[in-house]
Amino acid sequence: SKASKLDAIHKEALERFEIVWNAERDQRKLAIEDMRFAHAEDGQWDENAITKRKDRPRYTLNRVAGAIDQVCGDQRQNRTQIKVRPITDGTKDIAKVRMGLIRNIENNSDAESTYDAAFDETVTGGYGGWRVLTQFTDDDVFEQDIVIAPIKSAASSLFMDPSAQKYDKRDAMWGFYVRDMPLDTFNKKYPNATVSDF
């Protein structure tokens, strides 16, 4: 039945998430700590030190942010771009058309900002990424646009198959994108669902 198929998919998803969570939990915790260290106002002070010095001044000399800015600035000066290469002479025109389509998708999606944010997160914490999605256009319910969308805080929201060998995870067999949703929004979007702890 449909319900038993959905239960099997749900069970498999939970098992896979547990695999990736157990494999990467400690590394992700360190990545979030690194991002806090580099960007948060009191990120270089642990809670114990803040409590001990609550009525005394705390000075933060953030030398990490300058190094991160330098690396990210270099990336912005020499951006990585998608390039379609023809296999044979006859496919040169097709490659040009595809390049034009990709540039249009990137321009409409403000992809440069998305790429920059992913790179910043990767430099700071080791995790970064974006999504390629389709969404319906405003004026036509049958026509969809391809968009490049950012993933904020990939260290806590993007989980890929840990058995993937390639650096960019292109050989991953599955992945998870986790995002928070206010309880009111969840109840409106899924009125028949029950809320439970993961």
mmCIF file of all heavy atoms in Angstrom, residues 3-23:
data_model
loop_
_atom_site.group_PDB
_atom_site.id
_atom_site.type_symbol
_atom_site.label_atom_id
_atom_site.label_comp_id
_atom_site.label_asym_id
_atom_site.label_seq_id
_atom_site.Cartn_x
_atom_site.Cartn_y
_atom_site.Cartn_z
ATOM 1 N N ALA A 3 0.782 3.748 2.092
ATOM 2 C CA ALA A 3 1.249 4.072 3.448
ATOM 3 C C ALA A 3 2.463 3.238 3.830
ATOM 4 O O ALA A 3 3.419 3.750 4.417
ATOM 5 C CB ALA A 3 0.122 3.870 4.456
ATOM 6 N N SER A 4 2.462 1.958 3.493
ATOM 7 C CA SER A 4 3.601 1.106 3.838
ATOM 8 C C SER A 4 4.844 1.490 3.033
ATOM 9 O O SER A 4 5.964 1.433 3.543
ATOM 10 C CB SER A 4 3.260 -0.370 3.628
ATOM 11 O OG SER A 4 2.966 -0.622 2.274
ATOM 12 N N LYS A 5 4.657 1.914 1.765
ATOM 13 C CA LYS A 5 5.797 2.383 0.966
ATOM 14 C C LYS A 5 6.393 3.648 1.576
ATOM 15 O O LYS A 5 7.613 3.786 1.668
ATOM 16 C CB LYS A 5 5.359 2.650 -0.476
ATOM 17 C CG LYS A 5 5.144 1.407 -1.291
ATOM 18 C CD LYS A 5 4.725 1.752 -2.712
ATOM 19 C CE LYS A 5 4.442 0.494 -3.507
ATOM 20 N NZ LYS A 5 3.963 0.781 -4.858
ATOM 21 N N LEU A 6 5.517 4.579 1.997
ATOM 22 C CA LEU A 6 6.003 5.812 2.625
ATOM 23 C C LEU A 6 6.708 5.513 3.948
ATOM 24 O O LEU A 6 7.727 6.132 4.267
ATOM 25 C CB LEU A 6 4.846 6.792 2.839
ATOM 26 C CG LEU A 6 4.272 7.434 1.584
ATOM 27 C CD1 LEU A 6 3.049 8.271 1.913
ATOM 28 C CD2 LEU A 6 5.322 8.289 0.888
ATOM 29 N N ASP A 7 6.179 4.560 4.722
ATOM 30 C CA ASP A 7 6.834 4.171 5.973
ATOM 31 C C ASP A 7 8.219 3.598 5.716
ATOM 32 O O ASP A 7 9.173 3.880 6.446
ATOM 33 C CB ASP A 7 5.976 3.155 6.730
ATOM 34 C CG ASP A 7 4.755 3.785 7.390
ATOM 35 O OD1 ASP A 7 4.746 5.024 7.545
ATOM 36 O OD2 ASP A 7 3.817 3.038 7.736
ATOM 37 N N ALA A 8 8.348 2.788 4.663
ATOM 38 C CA ALA A 8 9.647 2.195 4.319
ATOM 39 C C ALA A 8 10.637 3.275 3.893
ATOM 40 O O ALA A 8 11.812 3.250 4.288
ATOM 41 C CB ALA A 8 9.473 1.165 3.210
ATOM 42 N N ILE A 9 10.171 4.245 3.102
ATOM 43 C CA ILE A 9 11.037 5.358 2.681
ATOM 44 C C ILE A 9 11.468 6.173 3.892
ATOM 45 O O ILE A 9 12.642 6.545 4.030
ATOM 46 C CB ILE A 9 10.310 6.243 1.643
ATOM 47 C CG1 ILE A 9 10.133 5.486 0.329
ATOM 48 C CG2 ILE A 9 11.063 7.544 1.410
ATOM 49 C CD1 ILE A 9 9.211 6.160 -0.669
ATOM 50 N N HIS A 10 10.533 6.442 4.787
ATOM 51 C CA HIS A 10 10.830 7.218 5.994
ATOM 52 C C HIS A 10 11.846 6.491 6.872
ATOM 53 O O HIS A 10 12.800 7.093 7.376
ATOM 54 C CB HIS A 10 9.531 7.488 6.765
ATOM 55 C CG HIS A 10 9.721 8.365 7.940
ATOM 56 N ND1 HIS A 10 9.611 7.912 9.234
ATOM 57 C CD2 HIS A 10 10.034 9.683 8.037
ATOM 58 C CE1 HIS A 10 9.834 8.896 10.069
ATOM 59 N NE2 HIS A 10 10.094 9.991 9.375
ATOM 60 N N LYS A 11 11.658 5.193 7.042
ATOM 61 C CA LYS A 11 12.588 4.393 7.850
ATOM 62 C C LYS A 11 13.990 4.422 7.241
ATOM 63 O O LYS A 11 14.989 4.598 7.941
ATOM 64 C CB LYS A 11 12.069 2.956 7.948
ATOM 65 C CG LYS A 11 12.916 2.071 8.815
ATOM 66 C CD LYS A 11 12.342 0.669 8.883
ATOM 67 C CE LYS A 11 13.234 -0.171 9.781
ATOM 68 N NZ LYS A 11 13.374 -1.524 9.357
ATOM 69 N N GLU A 12 14.059 4.242 5.920
ATOM 70 C CA GLU A 12 15.354 4.272 5.237
ATOM 71 C C GLU A 12 16.016 5.648 5.372
ATOM 72 O O GLU A 12 17.226 5.742 5.598
ATOM 73 C CB GLU A 12 15.182 3.916 3.763
ATOM 74 C CG GLU A 12 16.487 3.853 3.001
ATOM 75 C CD GLU A 12 16.295 3.533 1.532
ATOM 76 O OE1 GLU A 12 15.308 4.011 0.926
ATOM 77 O OE2 GLU A 12 17.142 2.807 0.982
ATOM 78 N N ALA A 13 15.233 6.719 5.268
ATOM 79 C CA ALA A 13 15.783 8.075 5.403
ATOM 80 C C ALA A 13 16.353 8.287 6.802
ATOM 81 O O ALA A 13 17.446 8.842 6.957
ATOM 82 C CB ALA A 13 14.703 9.109 5.106
ATOM 83 N N LEU A 14 15.630 7.837 7.825
ATOM 84 C CA LEU A 14 16.129 7.982 9.192
ATOM 85 C C LEU A 14 17.408 7.181 9.404
ATOM 86 O O LEU A 14 18.346 7.648 10.066
ATOM 87 C CB LEU A 14 15.061 7.561 10.199
ATOM 88 C CG LEU A 14 13.862 8.488 10.337
ATOM 89 C CD1 LEU A 14 12.826 7.893 11.284
ATOM 90 C CD2 LEU A 14 14.281 9.865 10.819
ATOM 91 N N GLU A 15 17.469 5.984 8.836
ATOM 92 C CA GLU A 15 18.683 5.164 8.956
ATOM 93 C C GLU A 15 19.863 5.834 8.268
ATOM 94 O O GLU A 15 20.975 5.863 8.804
ATOM 95 C CB GLU A 15 18.436 3.781 8.358
ATOM 96 C CG GLU A 15 17.521 2.908 9.194
ATOM 97 C CD GLU A 15 17.082 1.636 8.474
ATOM 98 O OE1 GLU A 15 17.440 1.463 7.273
ATOM 99 O OE2 GLU A 15 16.372 0.826 9.098
ATOM 100 N N ARG A 16 19.623 6.381 7.084
ATOM 101 C CA ARG A 16 20.708 7.062 6.362
ATOM 102 C C ARG A 16 21.158 8.312 7.100
ATOM 103 O O ARG A 16 22.357 8.601 7.162
ATOM 104 C CB ARG A 16 20.243 7.416 4.949
ATOM 105 C CG ARG A 16 20.174 6.229 4.037
ATOM 106 C CD ARG A 16 19.686 6.610 2.663
ATOM 107 N NE ARG A 16 19.782 5.487 1.738
ATOM 108 C CZ ARG A 16 19.399 5.539 0.484
ATOM 109 N NH1 ARG A 16 18.879 6.652 -0.020
ATOM 110 N NH2 ARG A 16 19.516 4.491 -0.295
ATOM 111 N N PHE A 17 20.192 9.069 7.631
ATOM 112 C CA PHE A 17 20.577 10.277 8.363
ATOM 113 C C PHE A 17 21.406 9.922 9.594
ATOM 114 O O PHE A 17 22.373 10.603 9.920
ATOM 115 C CB PHE A 17 19.351 11.092 8.766
ATOM 116 C CG PHE A 17 19.711 12.443 9.305
ATOM 117 C CD1 PHE A 17 19.932 13.499 8.441
ATOM 118 C CD2 PHE A 17 19.874 12.654 10.654
ATOM 119 C CE1 PHE A 17 20.303 14.743 8.914
ATOM 120 C CE2 PHE A 17 20.241 13.896 11.146
ATOM 121 C CZ PHE A 17 20.450 14.945 10.271
ATOM 122 N N GLU A 18 21.038 8.829 10.268
ATOM 123 C CA GLU A 18 21.818 8.402 11.437
ATOM 124 C C GLU A 18 23.238 8.028 11.030
ATOM 125 O O GLU A 18 24.198 8.336 11.735
ATOM 126 C CB GLU A 18 21.124 7.221 12.115
ATOM 127 C CG GLU A 18 21.785 6.842 13.423
ATOM 128 C CD GLU A 18 21.033 5.767 14.182
ATOM 129 O OE1 GLU A 18 20.006 5.271 13.681
ATOM 130 O OE2 GLU A 18 21.499 5.423 15.275
ATOM 131 N N ILE A 19 23.395 7.400 9.868
ATOM 132 C CA ILE A 19 24.732 7.041 9.382
ATOM 133 C C ILE A 19 25.580 8.285 9.172
ATOM 134 O O ILE A 19 26.715 8.375 9.649
ATOM 135 C CB ILE A 19 24.624 6.233 8.059
ATOM 136 C CG1 ILE A 19 24.054 4.849 8.327
ATOM 137 C CG2 ILE A 19 25.978 6.144 7.368
ATOM 138 C CD1 ILE A 19 23.660 4.093 7.063
ATOM 139 N N VAL A 20 25.037 9.275 8.453
ATOM 140 C CA VAL A 20 25.826 10.477 8.166
ATOM 141 C C VAL A 20 26.044 11.295 9.434
ATOM 142 O O VAL A 20 27.110 11.879 9.631
ATOM 143 C CB VAL A 20 25.185 11.317 7.029
ATOM 144 C CG1 VAL A 20 23.913 11.992 7.457
ATOM 145 C CG2 VAL A 20 26.165 12.350 6.505
ATOM 146 N N TRP A 21 25.062 11.324 10.315
ATOM 147 C CA TRP A 21 25.211 12.085 11.564
ATOM 148 C C TRP A 21 26.295 11.478 12.444
ATOM 149 O O TRP A 21 27.147 12.184 12.981
ATOM 150 C CB TRP A 21 23.875 12.149 12.306
ATOM 151 C CG TRP A 21 23.956 12.922 13.578
ATOM 152 C CD1 TRP A 21 23.901 12.438 14.855
ATOM 153 C CD2 TRP A 21 24.141 14.337 13.713
ATOM 154 N NE1 TRP A 21 24.024 13.447 15.757
ATOM 155 C CE2 TRP A 21 24.182 14.631 15.088
ATOM 156 C CE3 TRP A 21 24.279 15.374 12.797
ATOM 157 C CZ2 TRP A 21 24.345 15.916 15.573
ATOM 158 C CZ3 TRP A 21 24.447 16.661 13.283
ATOM 159 C CH2 TRP A 21 24.476 16.927 14.652
ATOM 160 N N ASN A 22 26.308 10.162 12.577
ATOM 161 C CA ASN A 22 27.330 9.502 13.390
ATOM 162 C C ASN A 22 28.721 9.656 12.780
ATOM 163 O O ASN A 22 29.711 9.770 13.499
ATOM 164 C CB ASN A 22 26.996 8.020 13.573
ATOM 165 C CG ASN A 22 25.803 7.813 14.481
ATOM 166 O OD1 ASN A 22 25.477 8.658 15.316
ATOM 167 N ND2 ASN A 22 25.127 6.685 14.313
ATOM 168 N N ALA A 23 28.792 9.671 11.460
ATOM 169 C CA ALA A 23 30.093 9.793 10.791
ATOM 170 C C ALA A 23 30.677 11.194 10.890
ATOM 171 O O ALA A 23 31.895 11.360 10.948
ATOM 172 C CB ALA A 23 29.958 9.387 9.320
#
